[in-house]
Amino acid sequence: MTVNFAEWFIEHPNFKYWQPLTHMFMHVATWHIFFNMFALVSFGSVLEQQWGTKKFLFFYFSAGLVLLLYQWQLVI
């Protein structure tokens, strides 16, 4: 599962075209997913109420993609 859904550098043989989206849902350990879910429930519901669902989803996914690009720059 990690090979198919985790983040691999774009030139790596394990890179798949769907990984820029699926890497946002991979977690290192159980505590990691619990912390992320706690933060999402604590802050996400407030932001979604203020911004609306479409704007919040845009923020959520664009933040994940921007962080992916930033992380790839650290690899280069």
Side-chain angles (χ1 to χ4, degrees):
M1 186 158 131
T2 302
V3 173
N4 288 323
F5 297 111
E7 169 207 339
W8 293 94
F9 188 65
I10 199 163
E11 294 175 356
H12 195 278
N14 287 336
F15 178 78
K16 306 285 191 260
Y17 67 90
W18 58 78
Q19 291 172 345
L21 288 178
T22 58
H23 88 278
M24 291 183 267
F25 304 103
M26 296 295 294
H27 294 84
V28 177
T30 306
W31 65 266
H32 186 195
I33 193 166
F34 283 122
F35 177 78
N36 283 2
M37 292 299 103
F38 174 75
L40 187 60
V41 168
S42 298
F43 303 110
S45 57
V46 174
L47 289 176
E48 185 181 12
Q49 287 176 357
Q50 289 182 347
W51 292 348
T53 302
K54 288 181 182 179
K55 194 171 184 179
F56 176 74
L57 285 174
F58 177 78
F59 171 75
Y60 184 85
F61 284 107
S62 60
L65 293 175
V66 166
L67 291 173
L68 174 68
L69 294 174
Y70 176 74
Q71 194 166 5
W72 279 352
Q73 290 300 316
L74 294 178
V75 174
I76 294 176

